[in-house]
Amino acid sequence: MAIPITVLDCDLLLYGRGHRTLDRFKLDDVTDEYLMSMYGFPRQFIYYLVELLGASLSRPTQRSRAISPETQILAALGFYTSGSFQTRMGDAIGISQASMSRCVANVTEALVERASQFIRFPADEASVQALKDEFYGLAGMPGVIGVVDCIHVAIKAPNAEDLSYVNRKGLHSLNCLMVCDIRGALMTVETNWPGSLQDCAVLQQSSLSSQFEAGMHKESWLLGDSSFFLRTWLMTPLHIPETPAEYRYNMAHSATHSVIEKTFRTLCSRFRCLDGSKGALQYSPEKSSHIILACCVLHNISLEHGLDVWSSPGTGPVEQPPEEEYEHMESLDLEADRIRQELMLTHFS
């Protein structure tokens, strides 16, 4: 559908004269198919974001605002889902690429401010038990309230001398720790860890680890792969299973843990700014961390609105740095080993 657009001066658009809002794009003027193809989300979802974020995107500043919340949100969604500040994206809503960049920054911060509203572990016992029941129904693994893993997102080099963000593949990245439920909804997201840190080190230093070590969700555990150490609250697979019970445990573990692998594929398929297909995020580590978190917030909001986590077009596995050597990840935590042995004896023998 052809839409006549005039690209306006970016400073006038962003800062304006007075406090008028310049609207050059109307959702009602385009089809649902157009919105999905350009911005990755349906009309009603975009209207919800306008309602949710409108106050933050319109709050008074020293500079007047000339871009409407609706247009700012479309600009940000266009970037998140395409991975680039394309000229055609700015043309479609009547703003320059410079203004697109500022809109992305505004929307990103508004979403980050609301992260705790949409990304959280359930607090009540009934919801925790529901998590356990759902995971048990998937592959017979008892007591599980979430699956944990890390994903690397490429960023530009902060500076020539800072090697802390260089991962094992020699690329600059953030190593992001996430926990999801059986639907793919994210319950913990930590996006600030430098890419040089191995997964086990990220988890050890994380807020998530501190919470579980302090006794949060007793008699429950997370599932993690062999890049993590076995803990009393984190069940990992056996490196070399020998008995039938150990094989069955590993098979159930793998089937359950695959939920977060599918979630990562969906995140990177829906939000192409994360998958590296258009290059690394061209921002500082802090700003890149916020963009990743904003995409995670949108991911959970989309689930709440019935946009199935598995409905996005499928992609292959996200290319990640080589895994740590699994044989070095076995824990010396005797109590954790006892719990895992008892788990296998009780449920997989």
Side-chain angles (χ1 to χ4, degrees):
M1 174 176 183
I3 305 174
I5 292 297
T6 301
V7 179
L8 305 178
D9 177 76
C10 103
D11 288 329
L12 172 63
L13 271 167
L14 191 66
Y15 307 132
R17 298 188 182 100
H19 289 274
R20 293 183 303 157
T21 295
L22 300 176
D23 295 308
R24 288 294 185 270
F25 183 92
K26 297 293 186 182
L27 286 177
D28 291 338
D29 293 340
V30 297
T31 64
D32 291 332
E33 291 77 12
Y34 177 84
L35 291 174
M36 287 295 297
S37 65
M38 286 291 288
Y39 307 106
F41 291 95
R43 187 184 315 275
Q44 292 305 315
F45 183 84
I46 296 171
Y47 279 137
Y48 171 79
L49 292 181
V50 172
E51 180 180 353
L52 176 71
L53 307 178
S56 295
L57 300 177
S58 302
R59 56 191 169 197
T61 65
Q62 291 181 344
R63 296 165 171 171
S64 59
R65 307 157 311 284
I67 301 181
S68 69
E70 180 179 286
T71 301
Q72 291 185 60
I73 287 167
L74 289 171
L77 292 179
F79 169 70
Y80 297 148
T81 58
S82 72
S84 65
F85 294 111
Q86 302 174 42
T87 301
R88 70 180 184 90
M89 190 72 68
D91 288 350
I93 53 178
I95 63 175
S96 68
Q97 292 188 37
S99 292
M100 281 272 300
S101 180
R102 295 186 180 99
C103 290
V104 169
N106 293 342
V107 175
T108 295
E109 291 311 306
L111 287 167
V112 167
E113 288 174 0
R114 291 159 176 80
S116 61
Q117 178 182 346
F118 295 100
I119 300 175
R120 61 188 184 276
F121 268 95
D124 60 286
E125 292 184 10
S127 297
V128 171
Q129 186 59 50
L131 282 177
K132 294 180 182 180
D133 293 342
E134 290 169 350
F135 275 116
Y136 185 78
L138 176 63
M141 185 69 76
V144 178
I145 59 172
V147 287
V148 59
D149 209 345
C150 290
I151 182 172
H152 285 260
V153 176
I155 63 172
K156 73 173 183 179
N159 59 64
E161 299 178 355
D162 189 351
L163 301 180
S164 64
Y165 292 92
V166 179
N167 61 37
R168 291 163 62 88
K169 197 177 178 182
L171 303 176
H172 290 82
S173 67
L174 291 168
N175 195 5
C176 306
L177 178 74
M178 302 187 192
V179 177
C180 76
D181 66 14
I182 197 170
R183 299 180 304 127
L186 297 166
M187 300 182 291
T188 290
V189 174
E190 298 187 26
T191 60
N192 58 304
W193 299 104
S196 64
L197 286 181
Q198 296 184 358
D199 293 359
C200 59
V202 168
L203 180 61
Q204 184 177 0
Q205 299 177 49
S206 68
S207 299
L208 177 71
S209 178
S210 299
Q211 292 168 359
F212 273 83
E213 291 289 349
M216 185 180 82
H217 300 312
K218 293 180 179 178
E219 300 181 1
S220 306
W221 42 74
L222 304 175
L223 290 191
D225 64 20
S226 295
S227 61
F228 299 110
F229 289 113
L230 180 69
R231 293 286 184 261
T232 56
W233 48 269
L234 176 66
M235 293 293 104
T236 61
L238 290 118
H239 178 54
I240 305 177
E242 296 177 349
T243 68
E246 291 175 347
Y247 275 102
R248 283 191 286 268
Y249 166 84
N250 269 16
M251 290 177 63
H253 188 291
S254 177
T256 306
H257 190 267
S258 67
V259 171
I260 198 164
E261 297 164 3
K262 292 169 66 178
T263 300
F264 286 165
R265 288 195 295 271
T266 300
L267 273 171
C268 292
S269 174
R270 178 170 281 163
F271 303 107
R272 303 307 294 267
C273 67
L274 305 182
D275 75 350
S277 62
K278 298 295 178 62
L281 287 172
Q282 297 299 302
Y283 298 92
S284 68
E286 181 181 7
K287 290 184 178 179
S288 296
S289 171
H290 286 187
I291 288 172
I292 300 166
L293 182 55
C295 290
C296 291
V297 173
L298 286 173
H299 169 85
N300 275 12
I301 296 175
S302 69
L303 273 180
E304 290 188 5
H305 283 73
L307 302 179
D308 189 352
V309 68
W310 314 131
S311 65
S312 295
T315 60
V318 181
E319 187 174 1
Q320 296 293 309
E323 293 288 349
E324 291 86 354
E325 293 296 328
Y326 285 0
E327 58 265 32
H328 298 314
M329 293 296 104
E330 286 297 339
S331 174
L332 298 178
D333 188 329
L334 297 180
E335 177 62 15
D337 187 65
R338 183 196 65 77
I339 291 174
R340 185 170 64 178
Q341 291 296 331
E342 182 177 318
L343 178 62
M344 288 185 289
L345 178 64
T346 304
H347 294 277
F348 297 100
S349 295

